[in-house]
Every structure is written in structure tokens, then in C-alpha cells.
Amino acid sequence: MEPISNNSVSVSAVGFDVAQTAAFLRRYQFIHRGLMRALSGWMIATPRYEDKYAMTYHLWDHAQHAFAIRERLKELRGGHPDSNIEPLLFRVVDEVVHASSTSEFVAGAYLELTGALLKSYRWYLQRANRSANAPEIQLFRRIVPELEAHKNWAREFLAGFDNEQVARWREYIACLMDEAGGLNTPNERRKRGQQPAPPNSHRFERPRTIAVDERLQRGGLLSLDDRRKLSYEQERTEQFKVYFNELYAAAILASILYDASVSDVPFEFLFDVAHQCWDEIRHSEFGSSRLSQLGLQPQHYDPIVYEQIESLPFLHRFCHLTLNLEVYFMARKRPRVLQYKEHGDKESMVLADVDWSDEINHVRYGKKWIAYFLEKDARSPEDLKNEIAQHIAQNGTGIEPPF
Ligand SMILES: [Fe+2]
Ligand SMILES: [Fe+2]
């Protein structure tokens, strides 16, 4: 592995002109965006919650990388970032999601796609002019260690699954990337050759429920009223089980990101949804980590809210989460922080306090983006809420979540 240090940038390198740098940046941001989408689909589909956590942290890293690259493109004479991508590169990003298992997906997405990014960033850094290309040098030096951490996670993940099937899928993605010319030769566009054949006919579909492994049983979460009847310690335990279940909120946001990424939406919307998805997975982590401190492991989850709305348009899913549910739950936030504080329970108080702050942001995202999407729409947010209520009623369940 080549170290990224001041010494890796040559004093005498000619460097890259604006057109060359812009061509690299457009390709990089396209791969980061593609990985945001692929990871959002697979965080729902992968069964172990620890892997969902890792993938969602990575998804948010990619969102920040794409954002920073797009900001730099705006400063350069860079052209439209999305209209300049070669069809062969589209195909690599399209295909990576169609792995038939989490391990195939991790091998293709992390070892090949993230691997290609790392290779290209290092290649650029070695040839960059230290003052003319300083903005890119600074940017890539921040991105590279994060991507190295993703790849290390993938290597550890794959240690137990190094089989023939995974190797074949990885080879297929590598082949597609090679056909697209890799990432550091954007000016040597390839002619389309014979299309490499996928090793299986599996096509990924965004799941209709949240995949979990055998450790988790469906249901078993108490309502707020039932939790209030318990002793302080029991109530706290039940409350952190409910935090753990925020897996469902993260999955709703991942589904929005997955679907909206192929629609004509501003990147800033995807960026906020990625942020919120990461917040919700952190809230689930609040649950699993606090339960573990209390000597317990998560055993229950309830995907009902995801299942109720996953077939609605992403606009309705976003509206239901941010303007129905998060508004509905908000009244519980301050009393919970005060309750933990009164009991001198700093560990629980810190988590509840940060959760409350995050949720205020989520409602703000909801108001901002629902207003944006309804700008030229005859419907109001109330009309959307009525459509959601009707849909949920037709599916035979109440609008209020059971926890
Ligand atoms: Fe949350
Ligand atoms: Fe939230």
C-alpha cells in the first residue's frame, strides 16, 4: 500500500489541467453516488445488523465524498457532472448491486469499485502538481484513509466467505471495470467489446421487508403506555429495545435513497436522506450498545412501519417518516432526557439527548423537502398525509406505530 504523505506529491510534477481534473472528478463522484445507492439497497437486504451499521456509515462517507467533489466541480470549468459519464461505467455501477449474496456484493462493491477509486486517487496524487492541483490533493488525502477503512472492513468481512462463487462475481465486476477503462484513463474511451457474461442470473430487487438473522424475533416491543407501568430499570431496558428498532427508520430512508437516486432529484436531497439514514442507524446502535452495557442483546425487531409504506412513492415515505412519525414521537424526547438526568444515568441521558437533537433536524428536512417536491403540485402536505392514511387503512393496520 502506498502511503499518502507530503513526500508522495512530487515537487516537479507537471500535474493536470482543468479539463483532465474535471474528467476525473466527474467519474469519481459518479462512483461514490453509485455506491451510495448500492449500499442503501444492501443495508436493507443484508441480515446481520452489525453489517447494516457498517454499510450505512460507509454510505454516509460516500455521500460526503460525492458532495465535496461536486462542490469542487462547481469551482472548475467542469461541466455537468452527470451528463458526462460513459455508458460502460454506468454498466459497472448498475451491475454491482445484482450480487446474489452479501459476500458477493461486498467483494464487488468494496474490493473492486472502492478499490478502483483508491487506485485512481493514489495515481492522481503521485502525478499532481503540488500547487496547481492543491485543492484535489487536499480533497483526495481526506478521502483515501476513509476508503482504506472501508476496504479493510470488507477484507475482514470476507475472511470467512472466500469461496469460488464470490471470486467469480468479483472477477465479473473487475472485468466490467476494465472494459470501462478503469478510472484513471477517461480520455481513452473503449469501444464496446463483447459484454462479459454475469456468473448468475440474479437480479436485485429492493426488499419488501427488512432482512435480519436468526438472533432477532419479530414483534415483542412494548408500547409507551405499557413501558410506563414498569420500574425505572425495566422501562429503560424496554426503551433501548425501541431505540434498537430504529432499524426500521433507517431502512425507510435507505429505500428512499435507493429509489430516488434514479429519479430527477437534487443531489442535496439525496445527501440529506443519506445523513438521516446514518442518524437512524446510529440510534439503532444507541439501543444495541446500551443493551449490551446492561448485559443484554437485541432480540426483537418490528418492521411493520417499513412494510406498511414501502410500496408508496418515496415522497409519501419521506412525508410519513418526517412529518407524521417523527413529529408524533417528538413530545417524548425532552421528558426522556430529564428522566435519565434525574436518575443520574449519564450513559442513557447522552444518547437520548443526541437522539432528540437529531430528530429536530429530521423534521426540518421533512418540511424543507416536502415543500420543495410539492411546489408545482396541486396537493398540500395534508393531502399527502391523507393519501398515506388511506393506504395504511386499506392494508389493515392503524396509522400509529405499536411501540
Ligand atoms: Fe431516530
Ligand atoms: Fe429521525
Side-chain angles (χ1 to χ4, degrees):
M1 200 173 290
E2 296 148 19
I4 300 300
S5 67
N6 281 334
N7 300 337
S8 66
V9 177
S10 153
V11 185
S12 57
V14 177
F16 299 98
D17 63 28
V18 169
Q20 286 173 312
T21 294
F24 288 121
L25 291 179
R26 286 191 296 251
R27 292 187 134 212
Y28 297 154
Q29 77 87 33
F30 177 74
I31 301 291
H32 285 295
R33 282 187 65 163
L35 284 167
M36 280 167 73
R37 178 169 190 259
L39 284 164
S40 66
W42 273 94
M43 81 71 88
I44 309 170
T46 202
R48 288 181 72 245
Y49 63 83
E50 295 90 341
D51 300 334
K52 294 183 194 291
Y53 292 176
M55 286 180 184
T56 309
Y57 272 78
H58 299 156
L59 177 167
W60 174 234
D61 284 342
H62 286 300
Q64 291 174 91
H65 301 155
F67 181 85
I69 294 169
R70 292 173 76 89
E71 288 304 295
R72 178 61 186 144
L73 274 169
K74 285 181 198 165
E75 296 171 350
L76 287 171
R77 305 188 306 273
H80 193 287
D82 304 316
S83 62
N84 277 291
I85 300 299
E86 295 83 353
L88 290 173
L89 204 57
F90 265 107
R91 204 176 79 214
V92 188
V93 169
D94 265 358
E95 279 297 295
V96 84
V97 79
H98 294 298
S100 70
S101 67
T102 307
S103 33
E104 282 185 13
F105 170 69
V106 168
Y110 286 77
L111 300 186
E112 293 307 322
L113 249 55
T114 300
L117 279 172
L118 272 170
K119 197 171 144 197
S120 192
Y121 283 137
R122 291 202 184 98
W123 180 90
Y124 187 101
L125 283 168
Q126 280 174 347
R127 289 159 184 79
N129 179 283
R130 66 189 288 157
S131 46
N133 302 130
E136 287 72 37
I137 293 171
Q138 191 186 49
L139 184 57
F140 299 167
R141 278 187 179 159
R142 288 177 185 155
I143 295 175
V144 163
E146 294 189 354
L147 296 186
E148 278 169 352
H150 294 195
K151 221 177 147 184
N152 289 339
W153 174 83
R155 284 207 193 91
E156 269 177 44
F157 175 92
L158 289 164
F161 301 97
D162 203 6
N163 60 41
E164 184 67 16
Q165 206 181 334
V166 171
R168 271 206 304 274
W169 180 259
R170 190 182 164 189
E171 177 59 29
Y172 170 60
I173 299 298
C175 220
L176 292 177
M177 182 55 97
D178 192 46
E179 209 201 6
L183 289 179
N184 45 3
T185 52
N187 296 320
E188 292 170 26
R189 295 193 171 88
R190 307 272 176 104
K191 271 195 200 152
R192 281 165 175 265
Q194 211 181 3
Q195 186 168 334
N200 62 60
S201 58
H202 180 80
R203 301 309 283 170
F204 180 84
E205 232 189 280
R206 176 173 64 69
R208 292 177 190 180
T209 188
I210 304 169
V212 293
D213 64 15
E214 66 289 344
R215 291 172 296 171
L216 300 183
Q217 303 297 314
R218 189 183 174 112
L221 299 170
L222 301 185
S223 70
L224 183 69
D225 287 343
D226 288 339
R227 296 201 292 275
R228 279 185 174 148
K229 294 172 192 152
L230 302 171
S231 69
Y232 171 74
E233 282 77 15
Q234 284 173 320
E235 183 187 355
R236 178 181 60 185
T237 297
E238 294 305 319
Q239 179 52 44
F240 278 96
K241 290 182 185 173
V242 172
Y243 273 122
F244 173 73
N245 194 49
E246 293 198 25
L247 279 182
Y248 87 85
I252 290 173
L253 290 152
S255 78
I256 295 167
L257 191 53
Y258 189 80
D259 295 357
S261 289
V262 288
S263 312
D264 179 24
V265 298
F267 176 76
E268 289 70 20
F269 171 67
L270 303 177
F271 186 73
D272 285 349
V273 172
H275 194 319
Q276 190 174 346
C277 184
W278 177 59
D279 290 343
E280 301 303 354
I281 221 66
R282 287 167 45 243
H283 301 167
S284 172
E285 214 175 12
F286 292 177
S288 60
S289 65
R290 192 76 187 103
L291 287 173
S292 154
Q293 288 170 345
L294 298 168
L296 299 163
Q297 296 301 319
Q299 290 177 322
H300 300 281
Y301 84 113
D302 194 332
I304 182 73
V305 182
Y306 178 89
E307 292 168 357
Q308 276 175 346
I309 61 167
E310 67 81 29
S311 65
L312 286 171
F314 73 76
L315 178 67
H316 294 68
R317 276 176 262 158
F318 194 59
C319 179
H320 188 51
L321 183 63
T322 58
L323 301 187
N324 280 336
L325 298 173
E326 289 176 328
V327 168
Y328 172 83
F329 287 134
M330 195 61 83
R332 305 176 179 185
K333 304 288 176 184
R334 184 199 294 269
R336 185 170 300 142
V337 174
L338 292 176
Q339 185 195 22
Y340 292 145
K341 207 171 185 173
E342 275 163 20
H343 282 82
D345 185 345
K346 184 78 194 276
E347 288 90 346
S348 302
M349 194 277 279
V350 166
L351 301 176
D353 190 37
V354 171
D355 168 71
W356 178 20
S357 176
D358 290 344
E359 292 307 326
I360 293 169
N361 269 339
H362 300 170
V363 175
R364 194 169 52 82
Y365 292 154
K367 288 183 178 154
K368 172 180 154 191
W369 288 111
I370 297 302
Y372 171 86
F373 286 115
L374 290 184
E375 205 195 341
K376 289 172 187 160
D377 194 311
R379 297 169 299 177
S380 68
E382 287 312 309
D383 295 330
L384 278 194
K385 288 180 188 177
N386 288 334
E387 289 175 15
I388 296 161
Q390 221 171 14
H391 170 85
I392 293 175
Q394 278 164 6
N395 285 277
T397 42
I399 195 163
E400 286 176 11
F403 31 84

